[in-house]
Coordinates of all heavy atoms in Angstrom, one line a residue:
M1 N 55.1 21.6 251.7 CA 55.7 22.7 252.5 C 55.7 24.0 251.7 O 56.0 24.0 250.5 CB 57.1 22.3 252.9 CG 57.7 23.3 253.8 SD 59.2 22.6 254.5 CE 60.3 24.0 254.4
R2 N 55.3 25.0 252.3 CA 55.3 26.3 251.6 C 56.7 26.9 251.4 O 57.6 26.8 252.2 CB 54.5 27.3 252.5 CG 54.3 28.6 251.9 CD 53.4 29.5 252.8 NE 53.5 30.8 252.4 CZ 53.5 31.9 253.2 NH1 53.4 31.7 254.4 NH2 53.7 33.1 252.7
A3 N 56.9 27.5 250.2 CA 58.2 28.1 249.9 C 58.4 29.3 250.8 O 57.5 30.0 251.2 CB 58.2 28.5 248.4
P4 N 59.7 29.5 251.1 CA 60.1 30.7 251.9 C 59.6 32.0 251.2 O 59.7 32.1 250.0 CB 61.6 30.6 252.0 CG 62.0 29.3 251.5 CD 60.9 28.8 250.7
D5 N 59.2 32.9 252.0 CA 58.9 34.2 251.5 C 60.2 35.0 251.2 O 61.3 34.6 251.7 CB 58.1 35.0 252.5 CG 56.7 34.5 252.7 OD1 56.3 33.5 252.1 OD2 56.0 35.0 253.5
T6 N 60.1 36.0 250.4 CA 61.3 36.7 250.0 C 61.5 38.0 250.9 O 60.6 38.3 251.6 CB 61.3 37.2 248.6 OG1 60.2 38.1 248.5 CG2 61.0 36.0 247.6
N7 N 62.6 38.6 250.8 CA 62.8 39.9 251.6 C 61.9 40.9 251.1 O 61.5 41.9 251.8 CB 64.3 40.3 251.5 CG 65.2 39.5 252.4 OD1 64.7 38.7 253.2 ND2 66.4 39.8 252.4
A8 N 61.4 40.8 249.8 CA 60.4 41.8 249.4 C 59.1 41.6 250.2 O 58.5 42.6 250.5 CB 60.1 41.6 247.9
D9 N 58.8 40.4 250.6 CA 57.7 40.2 251.4 C 57.9 40.8 252.8 O 57.0 41.3 253.4 CB 57.4 38.7 251.6 CG 56.9 38.1 250.3 OD1 56.2 38.8 249.5 OD2 57.2 36.9 250.0
A10 N 59.1 40.7 253.3 CA 59.4 41.3 254.6 C 59.3 42.8 254.5 O 58.7 43.4 255.4 CB 60.9 41.0 255.0
T11 N 59.7 43.4 253.4 CA 59.5 44.9 253.3 C 58.1 45.2 253.2 O 57.6 46.2 253.8 CB 60.3 45.3 252.0 OG1 61.7 45.0 252.1 CG2 60.1 46.8 251.7
E12 N 57.3 44.5 252.5 CA 55.9 44.8 252.4 C 55.2 44.6 253.7 O 54.4 45.5 254.1 CB 55.2 43.8 251.3 CG 53.8 44.1 251.0 CD 52.8 43.3 251.9 OE1 53.2 42.2 252.4 OE2 51.7 43.7 252.0
L13 N 55.5 43.6 254.5 CA 54.9 43.4 255.8 C 55.4 44.6 256.7 O 54.5 45.1 257.5 CB 55.3 42.1 256.4 CG 54.8 41.8 257.8 CD1 53.3 41.9 257.9 CD2 55.3 40.4 258.2
A14 N 56.6 45.0 256.6 CA 57.1 46.1 257.5 C 56.4 47.4 257.1 O 56.1 48.2 258.0 CB 58.6 46.2 257.3
L15 N 56.2 47.6 255.8 CA 55.5 48.8 255.4 C 54.0 48.8 255.9 O 53.5 49.8 256.4 CB 55.5 49.0 253.9 CG 56.8 49.5 253.3 CD1 56.8 49.3 251.8 CD2 57.1 50.9 253.7
R16 N 53.4 47.7 255.9 CA 52.0 47.5 256.4 C 52.0 47.8 257.9 O 51.1 48.4 258.5 CB 51.4 46.2 256.1 CG 51.1 46.0 254.6 CD 50.7 44.6 254.2 NE 49.6 44.1 255.1 CZ 49.4 42.9 255.5 NH1 50.3 41.9 255.1 NH2 48.4 42.5 256.2
A17 N 53.1 47.3 258.6 CA 53.2 47.5 260.1 C 53.4 49.0 260.4 O 52.9 49.5 261.4 CB 54.3 46.6 260.6
L18 N 54.2 49.7 259.5 CA 54.4 51.1 259.7 C 53.1 51.8 259.6 O 52.7 52.7 260.4 CB 55.4 51.6 258.7 CG 55.6 53.1 258.6 CD1 56.1 53.7 260.0 CD2 56.6 53.5 257.5
V19 N 52.3 51.5 258.6 CA 51.0 52.2 258.4 C 50.1 51.9 259.6 O 49.4 52.8 260.1 CB 50.3 51.7 257.1 CG1 48.9 52.2 257.0 CG2 51.1 52.2 255.9
W20 N 50.1 50.7 260.1 CA 49.3 50.3 261.2 C 49.7 51.1 262.4 O 48.9 51.7 263.2 CB 49.4 48.8 261.5 CG 48.6 48.4 262.7 CD1 47.3 48.0 262.7 CD2 49.1 48.3 264.1 NE1 46.9 47.7 264.0 CE2 48.0 47.9 264.9 CE3 50.3 48.6 264.7 CZ2 48.1 47.8 266.2 CZ3 50.3 48.5 266.1 CH2 49.3 48.1 266.8
T21 N 51.0 51.2 262.6 CA 51.6 52.0 263.8 C 51.2 53.4 263.7 O 50.8 54.0 264.8 CB 53.1 51.8 263.8 OG1 53.5 50.4 263.9 CG2 53.8 52.6 265.0
L22 N 51.3 54.0 262.6 CA 51.0 55.5 262.4 C 49.5 55.8 262.5 O 49.1 57.0 262.6 CB 51.6 56.0 261.1 CG 53.1 55.9 261.0 CD1 53.6 56.4 259.7 CD2 53.8 56.7 262.2
A23 N 48.7 54.8 262.4 CA 47.2 55.0 262.4 C 46.7 55.5 263.7 O 45.6 56.1 263.8 CB 46.5 53.8 261.9
E24 N 47.4 55.3 264.8 CA 47.0 55.7 266.1 C 48.0 56.8 266.6 O 49.2 56.5 266.8 CB 47.0 54.5 267.0 CG 46.1 54.6 268.2 CD 46.7 55.4 269.4 OE1 47.9 55.2 269.7 OE2 46.0 56.3 269.9
P25 N 47.5 58.0 266.8 CA 48.4 59.1 267.2 C 49.3 58.9 268.4 O 50.5 59.2 268.3 CB 47.5 60.3 267.4 CG 46.3 60.0 266.6 CD 46.1 58.5 266.7
D26 N 48.8 58.3 269.5 CA 49.7 58.1 270.6 C 50.8 57.1 270.3 O 52.0 57.2 270.7 CB 48.9 57.6 271.8 CG 48.0 58.7 272.4 OD1 48.4 59.9 272.2 OD2 47.1 58.4 273.1
R27 N 50.4 56.0 269.6 CA 51.4 55.0 269.2 C 52.4 55.6 268.2 O 53.6 55.3 268.3 CB 50.7 53.8 268.6 CG 51.6 52.6 268.4 CD 50.8 51.4 267.9 NE 49.9 51.7 266.9 CZ 48.6 51.4 266.9 NH1 48.0 50.9 267.9 NH2 47.8 51.7 265.9
A28 N 52.0 56.4 267.3 CA 52.9 57.0 266.3 C 53.9 57.9 267.1 O 55.1 57.9 266.7 CB 52.1 57.8 265.3
Q29 N 53.4 58.6 268.1 CA 54.3 59.5 268.8 C 55.3 58.7 269.6 O 56.5 59.0 269.7 CB 53.5 60.4 269.8 CG 54.4 61.5 270.4 CD 55.1 62.4 269.4 OE1 54.4 63.0 268.5 NE2 56.4 62.5 269.5
R30 N 54.9 57.6 270.2 CA 55.8 56.7 270.8 C 56.9 56.1 269.9 O 58.1 56.0 270.3 CB 55.1 55.5 271.5 CG 54.5 55.8 272.8 CD 54.0 54.6 273.6 NE 53.0 53.9 272.9 CZ 53.1 52.6 272.4 NH1 54.2 52.0 272.5 NH2 52.0 52.0 271.8
L31 N 56.5 55.8 268.7 CA 57.4 55.4 267.6 C 58.5 56.5 267.4 O 59.7 56.2 267.4 CB 56.7 55.0 266.3 CG 57.7 54.7 265.1 CD1 58.5 53.4 265.4 CD2 56.9 54.7 263.9
L32 N 58.0 57.7 267.2 CA 59.0 58.8 267.0 C 59.9 59.0 268.2 O 61.1 59.2 268.0 CB 58.2 60.1 266.6 CG 57.4 60.0 265.3 CD1 56.6 61.3 265.1 CD2 58.3 59.8 264.1
D33 N 59.3 59.0 269.3 CA 60.1 59.2 270.6 C 61.1 58.1 270.8 O 62.2 58.3 271.2 CB 59.2 59.3 271.8 CG 58.3 60.5 271.8 OD1 58.6 61.5 271.0 OD2 57.3 60.5 272.5
T34 N 60.7 56.9 270.5 CA 61.6 55.7 270.7 C 62.7 55.6 269.7 O 63.8 55.3 270.1 CB 60.7 54.4 270.7 OG1 59.7 54.5 271.7 CG2 61.6 53.2 271.0
T35 N 62.4 55.9 268.5 CA 63.4 55.7 267.4 C 64.2 57.0 267.2 O 65.3 56.9 266.6 CB 62.7 55.4 266.1 OG1 61.8 56.4 265.7 CG2 62.0 54.0 266.2
G36 N 63.7 58.1 267.6 CA 64.4 59.4 267.4 C 64.2 59.9 266.0 O 64.7 60.9 265.6
L37 N 63.3 59.3 265.2 CA 63.0 59.7 263.9 C 62.1 61.0 263.9 O 61.3 61.1 264.8 CB 62.3 58.7 263.1 CG 63.1 57.5 262.6 CD1 62.2 56.3 262.1 CD2 64.1 57.9 261.5
M38 N 62.3 61.9 263.0 CA 61.4 63.0 262.9 C 60.4 62.7 261.8 O 60.7 61.9 260.9 CB 62.2 64.3 262.5 CG 63.3 64.6 263.5 SD 62.7 64.9 265.2 CE 61.8 66.4 264.9
P39 N 59.2 63.3 261.8 CA 58.2 63.0 260.8 C 58.7 63.1 259.4 O 58.4 62.3 258.6 CB 57.1 64.0 261.2 CG 57.2 64.2 262.6 CD 58.7 64.2 262.9
D40 N 59.4 64.2 259.1 CA 59.9 64.4 257.7 C 60.9 63.3 257.3 O 60.9 62.9 256.2 CB 60.5 65.8 257.6 CG 59.5 66.9 257.6 OD1 58.3 66.6 257.3 OD2 59.8 68.1 257.8
D41 N 61.7 63.0 258.3 CA 62.7 61.9 258.0 C 62.0 60.6 257.8 O 62.4 59.8 256.9 CB 63.7 61.9 259.2 CG 64.9 61.0 258.9 OD1 65.4 61.1 257.8 OD2 65.4 60.3 259.8
L42 N 61.0 60.3 258.6 CA 60.3 59.1 258.4 C 59.6 59.0 257.1 O 59.7 58.0 256.4 CB 59.2 58.9 259.6 CG 58.4 57.7 259.5 CD1 59.3 56.4 259.7 CD2 57.4 57.7 260.7
R43 N 59.0 60.1 256.7 CA 58.4 60.1 255.3 C 59.4 59.9 254.2 O 59.2 59.2 253.3 CB 57.6 61.4 255.1 CG 56.3 61.5 255.7 CD 55.5 62.8 255.3 NE 56.0 64.0 255.9 CZ 55.6 64.4 257.1 NH1 54.8 63.7 257.8 NH2 56.1 65.5 257.6
A44 N 60.5 60.5 254.3 CA 61.6 60.5 253.3 C 62.2 59.1 253.2 O 62.6 58.6 252.2 CB 62.6 61.5 253.5
R45 N 62.3 58.4 254.4 CA 63.1 57.2 254.4 C 62.3 55.9 254.7 O 62.8 54.9 255.0 CB 64.2 57.3 255.5 CG 65.2 58.5 255.2 CD 66.2 58.6 256.3 NE 66.9 57.3 256.6 CZ 67.3 56.9 257.8 NH1 67.2 57.7 258.8 NH2 67.9 55.8 257.9
A46 N 61.0 56.0 254.6 CA 60.1 55.0 255.0 C 60.3 53.6 254.4 O 60.1 52.6 255.0 CB 58.6 55.4 254.8
G47 N 60.9 53.6 253.2 CA 61.1 52.3 252.5 C 62.5 51.7 252.8 O 62.8 50.6 252.3
E48 N 63.3 52.4 253.5 CA 64.7 51.9 253.8 C 64.6 50.8 254.8 O 63.9 50.9 255.8 CB 65.6 53.0 254.3 CG 65.8 54.1 253.3 CD 66.7 55.2 253.9 OE1 67.4 55.0 254.9 OE2 66.8 56.3 253.2
P49 N 65.4 49.7 254.6 CA 65.4 48.6 255.5 C 65.7 49.0 257.0 O 65.2 48.5 257.9 CB 66.5 47.7 255.0 CG 66.5 48.0 253.5 CD 66.3 49.5 253.4
A50 N 66.6 50.0 257.2 CA 67.0 50.4 258.5 C 65.8 51.0 259.3 O 65.5 50.7 260.4 CB 68.2 51.3 258.5
V51 N 65.0 51.8 258.5 CA 63.9 52.4 259.1 C 62.8 51.4 259.4 O 62.2 51.4 260.5 CB 63.4 53.6 258.2 CG1 62.0 54.1 258.7 CG2 64.4 54.7 258.2
L52 N 62.5 50.5 258.4 CA 61.5 49.5 258.6 C 61.9 48.6 259.7 O 61.1 48.1 260.5 CB 61.3 48.8 257.3 CG 60.7 49.6 256.2 CD1 60.7 48.8 254.8 CD2 59.3 50.1 256.5
G53 N 63.2 48.3 259.8 CA 63.7 47.4 260.9 C 63.4 48.1 262.3 O 63.1 47.4 263.2
A54 N 63.6 49.4 262.3 CA 63.4 50.2 263.6 C 61.9 50.1 263.9 O 61.5 50.0 265.1 CB 63.8 51.6 263.4
V55 N 61.0 50.2 262.9 CA 59.6 50.1 263.2 C 59.2 48.7 263.8 O 58.5 48.6 264.8 CB 58.8 50.3 261.9 CG1 57.3 50.0 262.1 CG2 58.9 51.8 261.5
L56 N 59.8 47.7 263.2 CA 59.5 46.3 263.7 C 60.1 46.1 265.0 O 59.5 45.4 265.9 CB 60.0 45.3 262.7 CG 59.3 45.4 261.3 CD1 59.8 44.3 260.4 CD2 57.8 45.3 261.4
A57 N 61.3 46.6 265.3 CA 61.9 46.5 266.6 C 61.0 47.3 267.6 O 60.9 46.8 268.8 CB 63.3 47.1 266.6
F58 N 60.5 48.4 267.3 CA 59.6 49.1 268.1 C 58.4 48.2 268.5 O 58.0 48.2 269.7 CB 59.1 50.4 267.4 CG 57.9 51.1 268.1 CD1 58.1 51.9 269.2 CD2 56.7 50.9 267.5 CE1 57.0 52.5 269.8 CE2 55.6 51.5 268.1 CZ 55.7 52.3 269.2
L59 N 57.8 47.6 267.6 CA 56.7 46.7 267.8 C 57.1 45.5 268.7 O 56.4 45.1 269.6 CB 56.0 46.2 266.5 CG 55.3 47.3 265.7 CD1 55.0 46.7 264.3 CD2 54.1 47.8 266.4
E60 N 58.2 44.9 268.4 CA 58.7 43.8 269.2 C 59.0 44.2 270.7 O 58.9 43.4 271.6 CB 60.0 43.3 268.6 CG 59.8 42.4 267.4 CD 61.2 41.9 266.9 OE1 61.9 41.2 267.7 OE2 61.5 42.1 265.8
G61 N 59.3 45.5 270.9 CA 59.7 46.0 272.2 C 58.5 46.1 273.1 O 58.7 46.3 274.3
Y62 N 57.3 46.1 272.6 CA 56.1 46.2 273.4 C 55.1 45.2 272.9 O 54.4 45.4 271.9 CB 55.5 47.6 273.3 CG 54.4 47.9 274.2 CD1 54.5 47.8 275.6 CD2 53.1 48.3 273.7 CE1 53.5 48.1 276.4 CE2 52.1 48.6 274.5 CZ 52.2 48.5 275.9 OH 51.2 48.8 276.7
E63 N 55.0 44.0 273.6 CA 54.3 42.9 273.2 C 52.8 43.2 272.8 O 52.3 42.7 271.8 CB 54.4 41.7 274.2 CG 53.7 40.5 273.7 CD 53.9 39.3 274.6 OE1 54.3 39.5 275.8 OE2 53.7 38.2 274.2
P64 N 52.1 44.0 273.6 CA 50.7 44.3 273.3 C 50.6 44.9 271.9 O 49.7 44.6 271.1 CB 50.3 45.3 274.4 CG 51.1 44.9 275.5 CD 52.4 44.6 275.0
D65 N 51.5 45.8 271.5 CA 51.5 46.4 270.1 C 51.8 45.3 269.1 O 51.2 45.3 268.0 CB 52.5 47.5 270.0 CG 51.9 48.9 270.6 OD1 50.7 48.9 270.9 OD2 52.7 49.8 270.7
L66 N 52.8 44.5 269.4 CA 53.2 43.4 268.4 C 52.0 42.5 268.2 O 51.7 42.2 267.0 CB 54.3 42.6 269.0 CG 54.8 41.4 268.2 CD1 55.3 41.8 266.8 CD2 55.8 40.5 269.0
I67 N 51.3 42.1 269.2 CA 50.1 41.2 269.0 C 49.0 42.0 268.3 O 48.4 41.4 267.4 CB 49.7 40.7 270.4 CG1 50.8 39.7 270.9 CG2 48.4 39.9 270.3 CD1 50.6 39.3 272.3
A68 N 48.7 43.2 268.7 CA 47.6 43.9 268.1 C 47.9 44.2 266.6 O 47.0 44.1 265.8 CB 47.4 45.3 268.8
C69 N 49.2 44.5 266.3 CA 49.6 44.7 264.9 C 49.4 43.5 264.1 O 48.8 43.5 263.0 CB 51.0 45.2 264.8 SG 51.6 45.5 263.1
A70 N 49.9 42.4 264.7 CA 49.7 41.1 264.0 C 48.3 40.8 263.7 O 47.9 40.4 262.6 CB 50.4 40.0 264.8
E71 N 47.4 41.0 264.7 CA 46.0 40.8 264.5 C 45.4 41.7 263.4 O 44.6 41.3 262.6 CB 45.2 40.9 265.8 CG 45.5 39.8 266.8 CD 44.9 40.0 268.2 OE1 44.3 41.1 268.4 OE2 45.0 39.2 269.0
G72 N 45.8 43.0 263.5 CA 45.4 44.0 262.5 C 45.8 43.7 261.1 O 45.1 44.0 260.2
L73 N 46.9 43.0 261.0 CA 47.4 42.7 259.6 C 47.1 41.3 259.2 O 47.5 40.8 258.1 CB 49.0 42.9 259.6 CG 49.5 44.3 259.9 CD1 51.0 44.4 259.8 CD2 48.8 45.3 259.0
D74 N 46.5 40.5 260.1 CA 46.1 39.2 259.9 C 47.3 38.3 259.6 O 47.3 37.5 258.6 CB 45.1 39.1 258.7 CG 44.3 37.7 258.7 OD1 44.2 37.1 259.8 OD2 43.9 37.3 257.6
V75 N 48.3 38.4 260.4 CA 49.5 37.6 260.4 C 49.8 37.1 261.8 O 49.3 37.7 262.8 CB 50.8 38.3 259.8 CG1 50.5 38.8 258.4 CG2 51.2 39.5 260.6
R76 N 50.7 36.2 261.9 CA 51.2 35.8 263.2 C 52.2 36.7 263.7 O 53.0 37.3 262.9 CB 51.7 34.3 263.1 CG 50.7 33.3 262.8 CD 51.2 31.9 262.6 NE 52.3 31.7 263.5 CZ 53.0 30.6 263.5 NH1 52.7 29.6 262.7 NH2 54.0 30.4 264.4
P77 N 52.3 37.0 265.0 CA 53.4 37.8 265.6 C 54.8 37.4 265.1 O 55.7 38.2 264.8 CB 53.2 37.7 267.1 CG 51.8 37.4 267.3 CD 51.4 36.5 266.1
E78 N 54.9 36.1 265.0 CA 56.2 35.5 264.6 C 56.6 36.0 263.2 O 57.8 36.1 262.8 CB 56.2 34.0 264.6 CG 56.1 33.4 266.0 CD 54.6 33.2 266.4 OE1 53.7 33.8 265.8 OE2 54.4 32.6 267.4
A79 N 55.6 36.3 262.3 CA 55.9 36.8 261.0 C 56.5 38.2 261.0 O 57.4 38.5 260.2 CB 54.7 36.8 260.1
I80 N 56.1 39.0 262.0 CA 56.6 40.3 262.1 C 58.1 40.2 262.6 O 59.0 40.9 262.1 CB 55.8 41.2 263.1 CG1 54.4 41.4 262.4 CG2 56.4 42.5 263.4 CD1 53.4 42.0 263.3
V81 N 58.3 39.3 263.6 CA 59.7 39.1 264.1 C 60.6 38.6 263.0 O 61.7 39.0 262.8 CB 59.6 38.1 265.3 CG1 61.0 37.8 265.8 CG2 58.8 38.8 266.5
A82 N 60.1 37.7 262.2 CA 60.9 37.1 261.1 C 61.2 38.2 260.0 O 62.3 38.2 259.5 CB 60.1 35.9 260.4
A83 N 60.2 39.1 259.8 CA 60.4 40.2 258.8 C 61.5 41.1 259.3 O 62.4 41.6 258.6 CB 59.2 40.9 258.6
H84 N 61.5 41.3 260.6 CA 62.6 42.2 261.2 C 64.0 41.5 261.0 O 64.9 42.2 260.6 CB 62.3 42.4 262.7 CG 63.3 43.2 263.4 ND1 63.6 43.1 264.7 CD2 64.1 44.2 262.9 CE1 64.5 44.0 265.1 NE2 64.8 44.7 264.0
R85 N 64.1 40.2 261.3 CA 65.3 39.5 261.0 C 65.7 39.6 259.6 O 66.9 39.8 259.3 CB 65.2 38.1 261.5 CG 65.4 37.8 262.9 CD 65.7 36.4 263.3 NE 64.6 35.5 262.8 CZ 63.5 35.2 263.5 NH1 63.5 35.6 264.8 NH2 62.6 34.4 263.0
A86 N 64.8 39.4 258.7 CA 65.1 39.5 257.2 C 65.6 40.9 256.8 O 66.5 41.0 256.0 CB 63.8 39.1 256.4
L87 N 65.0 41.9 257.4 CA 65.5 43.3 257.0 C 66.8 43.5 257.6 O 67.6 44.4 257.1 CB 64.5 44.3 257.5 CG 63.1 44.3 256.8 CD1 62.1 45.1 257.5 CD2 63.3 44.8 255.3
D88 N 67.2 42.8 258.6 CA 68.6 42.9 259.2 C 69.6 42.0 258.5 O 70.6 41.8 259.0 CB 68.5 42.7 260.7 CG 68.0 43.8 261.5 OD1 67.8 44.9 260.9 OD2 67.6 43.6 262.7
G89 N 69.1 41.4 257.4 CA 70.1 40.5 256.7 C 69.8 39.0 256.7 O 70.5 38.3 256.1
G90 N 68.8 38.6 257.4 CA 68.5 37.2 257.5 C 67.5 36.8 256.5 O 67.0 37.6 255.7
A91 N 67.1 35.5 256.6 CA 66.0 35.0 255.7 C 64.7 35.3 256.3 O 64.5 35.3 257.5 CB 66.2 33.5 255.4
F92 N 63.6 35.4 255.5 CA 62.3 35.6 255.9 C 61.4 34.4 255.6 O 61.2 34.0 254.5 CB 61.7 36.8 255.2 CG 60.3 37.1 255.6 CD1 59.9 37.3 256.9 CD2 59.3 37.3 254.6 CE1 58.6 37.6 257.3 CE2 58.0 37.6 255.0 CZ 57.6 37.7 256.3
Y93 N 61.0 33.8 256.7 CA 60.0 32.6 256.6 C 58.8 33.0 257.5 O 58.9 33.1 258.7 CB 60.7 31.3 257.2 CG 61.9 31.0 256.4 CD1 63.2 31.3 256.9 CD2 61.9 30.3 255.2 CE1 64.3 31.0 256.2 CE2 63.0 29.9 254.5 CZ 64.2 30.3 255.0 OH 65.4 30.0 254.3
A94 N 57.7 33.1 256.8 CA 56.5 33.4 257.6 C 55.8 32.2 258.1 O 56.0 31.1 257.6 CB 55.5 34.3 256.7

């Protein structure tokens, strides 16, 4: 059995998901509109668990993006959901 991933892994996955999200202008704008984050605020706080959690919640809120992001990052959608839980204080198991 594989050992559980750490919250550092959840942070790394969330950062990769953020980069994936921002790579497409329309999706990036939806992220900003949905979360209320401003571009400067997002840049300044990108590594914070609350911001990363908001990014993952954004992806979870629209299944086509969640699945496309998982495919783009070569992970299962469940790993993104688990990373979100971990950033909110739970354990991360991919």
Side-chain angles (χ1 to χ4, degrees):
M1 183 166 140
R2 186 174 162 215
D5 291 1
T6 65
N7 282 354
D9 294 328
T11 299
E12 186 266 337
L13 179 56
L15 284 168
R16 290 175 52 213
L18 173 60
V19 170
W20 180 89
T21 300
L22 296 176
E24 203 281 313
D26 289 339
R27 188 174 48 237
Q29 188 60 53
R30 277 191 298 113
L31 171 68
L32 296 175
D33 293 343
T34 301
T35 62
L37 289 166
M38 301 302 292
D40 289 339
D41 193 36
L42 181 59
R43 277 190 286 278
R45 299 179 53 213
E48 294 180 14
V51 172
L52 294 174
V55 170
L56 298 181
F58 166 78
L59 292 170
E60 285 182 55
Y62 186 62
E63 187 175 15
D65 279 348
L66 176 65
I67 292 169
C69 180
E71 289 174 358
L73 300 180
D74 196 28
V75 299
R76 294 176 34 183
E78 294 87 348
I80 294 172
V81 173
H84 182 206
R85 277 195 303 266
L87 290 168
D88 283 346
F92 177 54
Y93 301 96

